[in-house]
Amino acid sequence: MTSTAAPGPRYGFVDLLRGFAILVMVETHVVNAYLPPALKQGSELFFWVAFVNGLVAPAFLFATGFSLILQGRSRWDDWVRFRPPFWRQLRRLGFILLVAYNIHLQGYGLGWYLDNRDNALVWERTFKVDILQCIVASLLVLLLLAIIVRRRSLLPYAAGGLGIAAALVTPWVWARDFRPDLPLPLALYLNPHKVSLFPLFPWISFVLAGASAAHCFLRSVEAEAVPRYMKRAALAGAGLIAAGLLLRSVPWTLPGHVDFYTTSPLYLMVRLGCIFVIVALLYRCEARGAGAGWLGPVRLAGQESLLVYGAHLYVIYSLLRRQLEPVLGLEAGYAGCLLMSAAIIALMLPLARGWHALKKRRPRAVRIGQGVVVAAMVVSFLLL
């Protein structure tokens, strides 16, 4: 028996959060690729640029966890009973994972890997965990939690508790080298090992926080008390920011690798607090219709974030850095980075809009196209 439940409504502030995150991610990658090291060292301006850019991944991950629970409003029974929507969800995650690792191949095929099979750096570069791998693994954990707890009302407690635990054990996990005891692809999911950018510890905490927040949001929807929920979210966010900064002066630390900006649960609190405040602001903008004209393209970019993610990486690292390097060079100041970011964003917005329209008008053709892309990835890897 398959579920006939209609999908739940889309909440625009979630798409806006993801949309702003993916567009600021463009600027983040441009700055990482082009801003000279001399402008980064000891610069107060770069500190604030880095702080804002450091909110991109947490916001994206938070929105991912939030969105999955919104989907679970109509698909929960299908997930916990392994009905077709559960397998379709796994298929989508598998496609994202395939895209994620295909990006790391950088055009190399099976023959090249066989020739370099003893080169540890090759395998580390291939299996490093970026944002897409982290998203897939985190959502699999959420689905597993749903299957374990069975009751939807218990999920926020399970997700919240696991998120707190993951944040608290992060310093200990980062102090361990798991590569001698675990396969390299699995070890790189646990801590960076000087390779991964987004290991599960502590990044899964943002996904789990988003899941817990989404459950509370849906309860406020049922109670017709969403504005009150958003006010409380903003206040909770301000409290998290204040607590994270004030507790930094406490003269004790967790055991393991201690660094405020990478492993500390306190900095996680600061960033999570910022996200709560941003979510409340985006909801208020949407509710009041502020900026309705220009927020629409941002919302669509959030809905088509996978396409924007892959496309902007290609533009920056393949087109600009490689093919146009003789013209543009490999360094640019703040003004150059800003202009380059604006140009790429201006390209990504209509791309997202066009893809979104095509998916609505020709859904079957899009699914066939995605299958062709997957087949092309596999065949090109095997033949090269």
Short mmCIF file of all heavy atoms in Angstrom, two decimals, residues 120-121 123-125 127-129 170 172-201 257 263:
data_model
loop_
_atom_site.label_atom_id
_atom_site.label_comp_id
_atom_site.label_asym_id
_atom_site.label_seq_id
_atom_site.Cartn_x
_atom_site.Cartn_y
_atom_site.Cartn_z
N ALA A 120 48.62 8.00 -1.47
CA ALA A 120 47.65 8.30 -0.41
C ALA A 120 46.97 9.63 -0.62
O ALA A 120 45.78 9.79 -0.31
CB ALA A 120 48.35 8.27 0.95
N LEU A 121 47.69 10.62 -1.17
CA LEU A 121 47.10 11.94 -1.37
C LEU A 121 45.95 11.89 -2.37
O LEU A 121 44.97 12.63 -2.23
CB LEU A 121 48.17 12.92 -1.85
CG LEU A 121 49.28 13.26 -0.85
CD1 LEU A 121 50.30 14.20 -1.48
CD2 LEU A 121 48.68 13.90 0.41
N TRP A 123 43.82 9.42 -2.84
CA TRP A 123 42.63 8.87 -2.19
C TRP A 123 42.06 9.82 -1.16
O TRP A 123 40.85 9.90 -0.97
CB TRP A 123 42.96 7.51 -1.58
CG TRP A 123 43.34 6.51 -2.63
CD1 TRP A 123 44.59 6.03 -2.88
CD2 TRP A 123 42.48 5.92 -3.61
NE1 TRP A 123 44.56 5.18 -3.95
CE2 TRP A 123 43.28 5.08 -4.41
CE3 TRP A 123 41.12 6.02 -3.88
CZ2 TRP A 123 42.76 4.35 -5.46
CZ3 TRP A 123 40.60 5.29 -4.93
CH2 TRP A 123 41.41 4.47 -5.71
N GLU A 124 42.93 10.55 -0.47
CA GLU A 124 42.44 11.54 0.49
C GLU A 124 41.66 12.63 -0.22
O GLU A 124 40.59 13.05 0.24
CB GLU A 124 43.61 12.14 1.27
CG GLU A 124 44.22 11.18 2.28
CD GLU A 124 45.39 11.80 3.00
OE1 GLU A 124 45.84 12.90 2.58
OE2 GLU A 124 45.87 11.21 3.99
N ARG A 125 42.18 13.11 -1.35
CA ARG A 125 41.49 14.15 -2.11
C ARG A 125 40.16 13.65 -2.64
O ARG A 125 39.17 14.38 -2.69
CB ARG A 125 42.38 14.62 -3.26
CG ARG A 125 41.78 15.76 -4.07
CD ARG A 125 42.73 16.19 -5.17
NE ARG A 125 42.95 15.11 -6.13
CZ ARG A 125 43.87 15.14 -7.07
NH1 ARG A 125 44.69 16.17 -7.17
NH2 ARG A 125 43.99 14.12 -7.91
N PHE A 127 38.21 11.17 -1.36
CA PHE A 127 37.23 10.80 -0.33
C PHE A 127 37.03 11.86 0.74
O PHE A 127 36.32 11.62 1.71
CB PHE A 127 37.64 9.48 0.34
CG PHE A 127 37.50 8.29 -0.56
CD1 PHE A 127 38.60 7.52 -0.90
CD2 PHE A 127 36.26 7.93 -1.08
CE1 PHE A 127 38.48 6.42 -1.73
CE2 PHE A 127 36.13 6.83 -1.91
CZ PHE A 127 37.24 6.07 -2.23
N LYS A 128 37.61 13.04 0.57
CA LYS A 128 37.40 14.08 1.58
C LYS A 128 35.92 14.44 1.64
O LYS A 128 35.19 14.34 0.65
CB LYS A 128 38.25 15.31 1.27
CG LYS A 128 37.79 16.14 0.09
CD LYS A 128 38.66 17.38 -0.07
CE LYS A 128 38.20 18.23 -1.25
NZ LYS A 128 39.02 19.45 -1.40
N VAL A 129 35.50 14.86 2.81
CA VAL A 129 34.09 15.14 3.05
C VAL A 129 33.83 16.63 2.92
O VAL A 129 34.32 17.42 3.73
CB VAL A 129 33.66 14.62 4.44
CG1 VAL A 129 32.20 14.98 4.72
CG2 VAL A 129 33.87 13.12 4.52
N THR A 170 33.00 16.59 20.02
CA THR A 170 33.82 17.00 18.88
C THR A 170 35.29 17.18 19.23
O THR A 170 36.17 16.69 18.50
CB THR A 170 33.25 18.28 18.24
OG1 THR A 170 32.00 17.97 17.62
CG2 THR A 170 34.20 18.83 17.18
N TRP A 172 37.09 15.73 21.44
CA TRP A 172 37.67 14.39 21.65
C TRP A 172 37.83 13.67 20.31
O TRP A 172 38.86 13.05 20.05
CB TRP A 172 36.78 13.57 22.58
CG TRP A 172 37.31 12.20 22.86
CD1 TRP A 172 38.19 11.84 23.83
CD2 TRP A 172 37.00 11.00 22.12
NE1 TRP A 172 38.45 10.49 23.76
CE2 TRP A 172 37.74 9.95 22.73
CE3 TRP A 172 36.18 10.71 21.04
CZ2 TRP A 172 37.67 8.64 22.26
CZ3 TRP A 172 36.12 9.41 20.57
CH2 TRP A 172 36.85 8.39 21.18
N VAL A 173 36.82 13.75 19.45
CA VAL A 173 36.88 13.08 18.15
C VAL A 173 37.99 13.67 17.29
O VAL A 173 38.73 12.94 16.61
CB VAL A 173 35.51 13.18 17.43
CG1 VAL A 173 35.62 12.64 16.01
CG2 VAL A 173 34.45 12.42 18.20
N TRP A 174 38.14 15.00 17.32
CA TRP A 174 39.17 15.64 16.50
C TRP A 174 40.59 15.31 16.99
O TRP A 174 41.55 15.45 16.23
CB TRP A 174 38.97 17.16 16.50
CG TRP A 174 37.97 17.64 15.50
CD1 TRP A 174 36.75 17.08 15.24
CD2 TRP A 174 38.10 18.76 14.64
NE1 TRP A 174 36.10 17.80 14.28
CE2 TRP A 174 36.90 18.84 13.88
CE3 TRP A 174 39.07 19.71 14.43
CZ2 TRP A 174 36.68 19.82 12.94
CZ3 TRP A 174 38.86 20.72 13.49
CH2 TRP A 174 37.68 20.76 12.74
N ALA A 175 40.72 14.89 18.21
CA ALA A 175 42.05 14.55 18.74
C ALA A 175 42.48 13.14 18.38
O ALA A 175 43.61 12.74 18.68
CB ALA A 175 42.07 14.71 20.27
N ARG A 176 41.61 12.36 17.73
CA ARG A 176 41.90 10.97 17.39
C ARG A 176 42.21 10.82 15.90
O ARG A 176 41.62 11.49 15.07
CB ARG A 176 40.72 10.06 17.76
CG ARG A 176 40.33 10.10 19.24
CD ARG A 176 41.43 9.53 20.12
NE ARG A 176 41.06 9.47 21.52
CZ ARG A 176 41.20 10.46 22.39
NH1 ARG A 176 41.68 11.62 21.98
NH2 ARG A 176 40.87 10.32 23.65
N ASP A 177 43.10 9.90 15.59
CA ASP A 177 43.37 9.53 14.20
C ASP A 177 42.71 8.18 13.95
O ASP A 177 43.16 7.14 14.45
CB ASP A 177 44.88 9.44 13.95
CG ASP A 177 45.19 9.21 12.48
OD1 ASP A 177 44.25 8.98 11.70
OD2 ASP A 177 46.38 9.26 12.11
N PHE A 178 41.62 8.19 13.20
CA PHE A 178 40.84 6.98 12.97
C PHE A 178 41.31 6.19 11.75
O PHE A 178 40.81 5.09 11.50
CB PHE A 178 39.35 7.33 12.80
CG PHE A 178 38.72 7.90 14.03
CD1 PHE A 178 38.58 9.28 14.18
CD2 PHE A 178 38.28 7.08 15.05
CE1 PHE A 178 38.00 9.81 15.31
CE2 PHE A 178 37.70 7.61 16.19
CZ PHE A 178 37.56 8.98 16.33
N ARG A 179 42.26 6.74 11.00
CA ARG A 179 42.65 6.08 9.75
C ARG A 179 43.29 4.71 9.94
O ARG A 179 43.06 3.83 9.09
CB ARG A 179 43.58 7.01 8.97
CG ARG A 179 42.86 8.19 8.35
CD ARG A 179 43.80 9.19 7.74
NE ARG A 179 44.64 9.86 8.76
CZ ARG A 179 45.46 10.85 8.53
NH1 ARG A 179 45.60 11.32 7.28
NH2 ARG A 179 46.17 11.40 9.49
N PRO A 180 44.07 4.47 11.00
CA PRO A 180 44.61 3.10 11.15
C PRO A 180 43.55 2.05 11.45
O PRO A 180 43.76 0.86 11.20
CB PRO A 180 45.59 3.25 12.32
CG PRO A 180 45.92 4.70 12.38
CD PRO A 180 44.66 5.40 11.98
N ASP A 181 42.39 2.46 12.01
CA ASP A 181 41.39 1.50 12.47
C ASP A 181 40.16 1.43 11.59
O ASP A 181 39.37 0.48 11.70
CB ASP A 181 40.95 1.86 13.90
CG ASP A 181 42.12 1.91 14.87
OD1 ASP A 181 42.94 0.97 14.85
OD2 ASP A 181 42.22 2.90 15.63
N LEU A 182 39.96 2.44 10.72
CA LEU A 182 38.76 2.48 9.89
C LEU A 182 39.15 2.70 8.43
O LEU A 182 40.21 3.27 8.15
CB LEU A 182 37.84 3.63 10.33
CG LEU A 182 37.23 3.54 11.73
CD1 LEU A 182 36.48 4.84 12.05
CD2 LEU A 182 36.28 2.35 11.84
N PRO A 183 38.31 2.25 7.50
CA PRO A 183 38.57 2.58 6.09
C PRO A 183 38.64 4.10 5.91
O PRO A 183 37.90 4.85 6.56
CB PRO A 183 37.36 1.98 5.36
CG PRO A 183 36.82 0.94 6.28
CD PRO A 183 37.10 1.42 7.67
N LEU A 184 39.51 4.54 5.02
CA LEU A 184 39.72 5.97 4.84
C LEU A 184 38.43 6.75 4.57
O LEU A 184 38.22 7.81 5.19
CB LEU A 184 40.72 6.21 3.70
CG LEU A 184 41.04 7.67 3.38
CD1 LEU A 184 41.73 8.34 4.57
CD2 LEU A 184 41.90 7.77 2.13
N PRO A 185 37.54 6.27 3.66
CA PRO A 185 36.31 7.05 3.42
C PRO A 185 35.49 7.27 4.68
O PRO A 185 34.90 8.34 4.86
CB PRO A 185 35.55 6.20 2.40
CG PRO A 185 36.61 5.40 1.71
CD PRO A 185 37.62 5.09 2.79
N LEU A 186 35.43 6.28 5.56
CA LEU A 186 34.67 6.42 6.80
C LEU A 186 35.40 7.31 7.80
O LEU A 186 34.77 8.16 8.46
CB LEU A 186 34.42 5.04 7.41
CG LEU A 186 33.62 5.02 8.72
CD1 LEU A 186 32.26 5.68 8.53
CD2 LEU A 186 33.45 3.58 9.22
N ALA A 187 36.70 7.15 7.92
CA ALA A 187 37.47 7.96 8.87
C ALA A 187 37.34 9.44 8.57
O ALA A 187 37.26 10.28 9.47
CB ALA A 187 38.94 7.54 8.84
N LEU A 188 37.29 9.79 7.28
CA LEU A 188 37.22 11.20 6.90
C LEU A 188 35.86 11.82 7.20
O LEU A 188 35.71 13.04 7.15
CB LEU A 188 37.53 11.36 5.41
CG LEU A 188 38.97 11.01 5.01
CD1 LEU A 188 39.16 11.18 3.51
CD2 LEU A 188 39.97 11.87 5.76
N TYR A 189 34.86 11.00 7.51
CA TYR A 189 33.58 11.53 7.94
C TYR A 189 33.58 11.93 9.42
O TYR A 189 32.68 12.66 9.85
CB TYR A 189 32.47 10.50 7.72
CG TYR A 189 31.85 10.54 6.35
CD1 TYR A 189 32.32 9.71 5.34
CD2 TYR A 189 30.81 11.42 6.06
CE1 TYR A 189 31.76 9.74 4.07
CE2 TYR A 189 30.25 11.46 4.79
CZ TYR A 189 30.73 10.63 3.81
OH TYR A 189 30.18 10.69 2.55
N LEU A 190 34.56 11.46 10.18
CA LEU A 190 34.54 11.70 11.62
C LEU A 190 35.25 12.97 12.02
O LEU A 190 34.75 13.75 12.83
CB LEU A 190 35.14 10.49 12.35
CG LEU A 190 34.40 9.17 12.12
CD1 LEU A 190 35.08 8.04 12.88
CD2 LEU A 190 32.94 9.30 12.53
N ASN A 191 36.46 13.18 11.51
CA ASN A 191 37.15 14.45 11.76
C ASN A 191 37.99 14.80 10.54
O ASN A 191 38.15 13.99 9.63
CB ASN A 191 37.97 14.39 13.06
CG ASN A 191 39.23 13.57 12.95
OD1 ASN A 191 40.00 13.70 12.00
ND2 ASN A 191 39.48 12.71 13.93
N PRO A 192 38.54 16.00 10.48
CA PRO A 192 39.18 16.43 9.22
C PRO A 192 40.37 15.60 8.79
O PRO A 192 40.59 15.43 7.58
CB PRO A 192 39.62 17.87 9.54
CG PRO A 192 38.76 18.30 10.66
CD PRO A 192 38.49 17.08 11.47
N HIS A 193 41.16 15.10 9.74
CA HIS A 193 42.42 14.44 9.38
C HIS A 193 43.23 15.30 8.41
O HIS A 193 43.91 14.78 7.53
CB HIS A 193 42.16 13.05 8.78
CG HIS A 193 41.56 12.08 9.75
ND1 HIS A 193 40.21 11.81 9.80
CD2 HIS A 193 42.11 11.31 10.72
CE1 HIS A 193 39.96 10.92 10.74
NE2 HIS A 193 41.09 10.59 11.33
N LYS A 194 43.09 16.62 8.56
CA LYS A 194 43.75 17.60 7.69
C LYS A 194 43.32 17.48 6.24
O LYS A 194 44.04 17.93 5.33
CB LYS A 194 45.28 17.48 7.81
CG LYS A 194 45.82 17.72 9.21
CD LYS A 194 47.32 17.60 9.25
CE LYS A 194 47.85 17.85 10.66
NZ LYS A 194 49.33 17.73 10.73
N VAL A 195 42.16 16.87 6.02
CA VAL A 195 41.67 16.66 4.65
C VAL A 195 40.24 17.18 4.50
O VAL A 195 39.96 18.03 3.67
CB VAL A 195 41.73 15.16 4.28
CG1 VAL A 195 41.16 14.94 2.87
CG2 VAL A 195 43.15 14.64 4.37
N SER A 196 39.32 16.64 5.29
CA SER A 196 37.90 16.96 5.16
C SER A 196 37.59 18.37 5.63
O SER A 196 38.17 18.85 6.61
CB SER A 196 37.05 15.96 5.95
OG SER A 196 37.14 14.67 5.39
N LEU A 197 36.65 19.00 4.94
CA LEU A 197 36.21 20.34 5.32
C LEU A 197 34.97 20.31 6.19
O LEU A 197 34.76 21.20 7.02
CB LEU A 197 35.93 21.17 4.06
CG LEU A 197 37.12 21.41 3.14
CD1 LEU A 197 36.68 22.17 1.89
CD2 LEU A 197 38.22 22.17 3.86
N PHE A 198 34.12 19.29 6.02
CA PHE A 198 32.86 19.23 6.76
C PHE A 198 32.62 17.82 7.32
O PHE A 198 31.68 17.14 6.91
CB PHE A 198 31.70 19.64 5.86
CG PHE A 198 31.76 21.08 5.43
CD1 PHE A 198 32.31 21.43 4.20
CD2 PHE A 198 31.29 22.08 6.26
CE1 PHE A 198 32.37 22.74 3.80
CE2 PHE A 198 31.36 23.41 5.86
CZ PHE A 198 31.90 23.75 4.64
N PRO A 199 33.45 17.39 8.27
CA PRO A 199 33.17 16.10 8.92
C PRO A 199 31.89 16.18 9.74
O PRO A 199 31.42 17.28 10.08
CB PRO A 199 34.40 15.89 9.81
CG PRO A 199 34.88 17.27 10.11
CD PRO A 199 34.62 18.06 8.86
N LEU A 200 31.33 15.04 10.06
CA LEU A 200 30.07 15.02 10.81
C LEU A 200 30.20 15.72 12.16
O LEU A 200 29.22 16.31 12.64
CB LEU A 200 29.61 13.58 11.00
CG LEU A 200 29.06 12.89 9.75
CD1 LEU A 200 28.69 11.46 10.05
CD2 LEU A 200 27.88 13.65 9.18
N PHE A 201 31.36 15.62 12.77
CA PHE A 201 31.58 16.32 14.04
C PHE A 201 32.32 17.61 13.76
O PHE A 201 33.44 17.60 13.27
CB PHE A 201 32.40 15.43 14.99
CG PHE A 201 31.71 14.15 15.37
CD1 PHE A 201 31.87 13.00 14.61
CD2 PHE A 201 30.90 14.10 16.49
CE1 PHE A 201 31.24 11.84 14.94
CE2 PHE A 201 30.26 12.92 16.84
CZ PHE A 201 30.43 11.79 16.06
N HIS A 257 41.03 18.07 21.27
CA HIS A 257 41.55 19.17 20.45
C HIS A 257 40.67 20.40 20.66
O HIS A 257 39.52 20.45 20.25
CB HIS A 257 41.53 18.76 18.98
CG HIS A 257 41.98 19.84 18.04
ND1 HIS A 257 43.30 20.05 17.73
CD2 HIS A 257 41.27 20.78 17.35
CE1 HIS A 257 43.40 21.06 16.89
NE2 HIS A 257 42.18 21.53 16.64
N THR A 263 36.24 23.54 17.04
CA THR A 263 35.71 22.41 17.81
C THR A 263 34.88 22.82 19.02
O THR A 263 34.26 21.97 19.64
CB THR A 263 36.86 21.51 18.31
OG1 THR A 263 37.71 22.27 19.19
CG2 THR A 263 37.67 20.97 17.15
#
